[in-house]
Amino acid sequence: MSVRIFVPVDSGALSVGANQVAKAIEAEAAKRGIDIELVRNGSRGLYWLEPLVEVDAHAGRLAYGPVTVEDVPALFDAGFVDGGMHRLGHGLTEHIPFLAGQERLTFQRVGITAPLSLDDYLAHGGFAGLTQAITQDGAAIVKQVTDSGLRGRGGAAFPTGIKWNTVLNAAGSQKYVVCNADEGDSGTFSDRMLMEGDPFCLIEGMTIAGLAVGATQGYIYLRSEYPHAFKTLKAAIELARAAGWLGADVASSGRAFELEVRLGAGAYICGEETAMLESLEGKRGIVRFKPPLPAIQGLFGKPTVINNVMSFAAVPLILARGAAFYRDYGMGRSHGTLPFQLAGNLRHPGLVEKAFGITLRELLLDYGGGSASGRPIRAVQVGGPLGAFVPESQFDVPLDYETYAAMGAMIGHGGIVAFDDTADMARLARYAMEFCATESCGKCTPCRIGSTRGVEVIDRIIAGEAREANLDLLDSLCDTLLHGSLCALGGMAPYPVKSALKHFPEDFGVEPVTAE
């Protein structure tokens, strides 16, 4: 009987030699006459252990990593195919503390199944949500999504059910479902991991959305920097269509839904929903004026549901297990779980799916293992390149949409980038403003001109030139960006700048304000 050995095909694992390790394992097994079945799974999200090789043993899957080509003969010598002890061994994968403490709802299959195996997907609960959906009308599906408390996992955290209900009730002979998979925030990779590791989950979620609002066509707008995800999604769509889960008669329901993947051209602004629609229509990706809202006049002027990958991927479980099951996770108005992505100066970077309410300190220390440099963590940028810098004094604030908004920060897509005490926060603030200037679509003056002037003003502050006057000017510029920009790119550029100035004034040459 062959031994099943798992080696990830995830981009993160590939970047550190997973393909070479897989070939070496096959070659070594053949050389020793050992019968193996090599399965290319997604990543478990323990990126400091990639390539993470797993062996299917009687007690469960055993983990070994990080494995290099040079380690492979020694692993066979140690009898790892039978669960033998080796210095790279971590015991049962599910018992590794990083994984054991998570609440994996959206990522329940990622790293466990073969991404393009429909049999695997079905055996692990796949299409159970869609099977429920085809027995209900659109309004009933929308009600379940609304009752679950699911909110957009992109940035604005807008209630998903309200958006879907608007499209459901909008007049239009043609409606669309669009997935915003332009995952451009620094330190984020959850969308990519799911698309590469469990693509049928996204397909199922989008198909349920189509049935819910009466849309027959869907598009996945994918960033061009994700070639592996592009290849995997295209193959998964073909397999789903051939099996009857997509097409003119979805799961023999008499209802139609089709799906295509479209590649972007590398513009960060196309993560903004209306710029993305312009790009999908073959135009230059620039922001549209609102109203009209895309839910009323979206793609090609038709009612359109737009959500990101994590929003759609949460939907199948909601339909399969019920709204209450999902809603019971989290805190306050932040329901369910969020896949937090740990990056930057951390010993254990990776993906942690937890219910809302966990704190940064728990994520950074209990999961991230503290800084990779061994120095104190000074600041964490939460929510991408336009997110606020959170100081150590706020590490114990629960990660909840409203709580973070109240302190001038945002959770966004769940990206967490850590910096130790050697970080120059003035330089990081400058980079954030420069990023806005570089990525601006140019349509509105506050963003196009204000961000460029902002970089110049920050440079003068750092250089000590008329510091007080330039601090006043920077404050005025940030106010203009915040209240005058057409979209969140310009509107959020002040967040990292103002938070860095507030919490780390000494890096700008400014005396900290002390309480009397």
Side-chain angles (χ1 to χ4, degrees), residues 238-279:
E238 290 300 321
L239 289 168
R241 185 181 295 116
W245 297 107
L246 284 174
D249 186 17
V250 172
S252 303
S253 66
R255 294 143 88 178
F257 188 74
E258 263 299 352
L259 194 55
E260 292 181 34
V261 187
R262 295 288 176 87
L263 276 178
Y268 181 79
I269 192 62
C270 288
E272 194 279 334
E273 61 180 11
T274 63
M276 177 192 65
L277 293 178
E278 290 287 289
S279 180

Side-chain angles (χ1 to χ4, degrees), residues 443-466:
K443 185 162 185 175
C444 71
T445 304
C447 180
R448 183 182 70 250
I449 304 298
S451 55
T452 301
R453 297 288 87 83
V455 174
E456 296 167 358
V457 175
I458 293 172
D459 280 341
R460 292 200 292 269
I461 292 170
I462 293 172
E465 299 175 17

Side-chain angles (χ1 to χ4, degrees), residues 54-278:
E54 294 180 81
V55 177
D56 201 356
H58 293 298
R61 279 162 61 164
L62 299 171
Y64 299 84
V67 177
T68 66
V69 170
E70 291 73 25
D71 294 320
V72 170
L75 282 169
F76 276 91
D77 289 341
F80 90 118
V81 293
D82 298 312
M85 297 287 288
H86 187 272
R87 63 179 176 81
L88 297 177
H90 301 277
L92 289 168
T93 311
E94 299 293 342
H95 290 179
I96 297 173
F98 187 92
L99 270 180
Q102 295 190 37
E103 288 130 2
R104 290 213 162 183
L105 303 184
T106 304
F107 275 72
Q108 61 181 299
R109 283 175 294 268
V110 179
I112 294 175
T113 59
L116 291 175
S117 170
L118 269 172
D119 289 340
D120 264 11
Y121 187 67
L122 290 164
H124 289 82
F127 291 119
L130 181 53
T131 301
Q132 289 293 322
I134 61 176
T135 67
Q136 303 173 30
D137 64 15
I141 299 171
V142 170
K143 185 177 188 304
Q144 285 210 59
V145 173
T146 304
D147 291 347
S148 74
L150 177 66
R151 294 164 70 175
R153 298 296 190 240
F158 189 80
T160 303
I162 293 176
K163 184 181 289 188
W164 287 23
N165 193 59
T166 303
V167 179
L168 170 65
N169 293 311
S173 56
Q174 176 67 57
K175 298 178 182 180
Y176 295 102
V177 174
V178 176
C179 176
N180 187 343
D182 194 66
E183 187 178 47
D185 284 351
S186 50
T188 58
F189 44 86
S190 60
D191 289 0
R192 178 192 58 73
M193 276 186 65
L194 186 122
M195 290 185 288
E196 292 178 359
D198 192 15
F200 295 119
C201 181
L202 176 58
I203 292 169
E204 183 179 2
M206 292 186 69
T207 305
I208 292 170
L211 299 183
V213 303
T216 56
Q217 179 66 50
Y219 295 96
I220 300 171
Y221 185 88
L222 181 69
R223 71 186 309 233
S224 60
E225 295 88 343
Y226 284 174
H228 296 290
F230 181 64
K231 180 180 177 182
T232 301
L233 283 169
K234 284 182 68 80
I237 287 169
E238 290 300 321
L239 289 168
R241 185 181 295 116
W245 297 107
L246 284 174
D249 186 17
V250 172
S252 303
S253 66
R255 294 143 88 178
F257 188 74
E258 263 299 352
L259 194 55
E260 292 181 34
V261 187
R262 295 288 176 87
L263 276 178
Y268 181 79
I269 192 62
C270 288
E272 194 279 334
E273 61 180 11
T274 63
M276 177 192 65
L277 293 178
E278 290 287 289

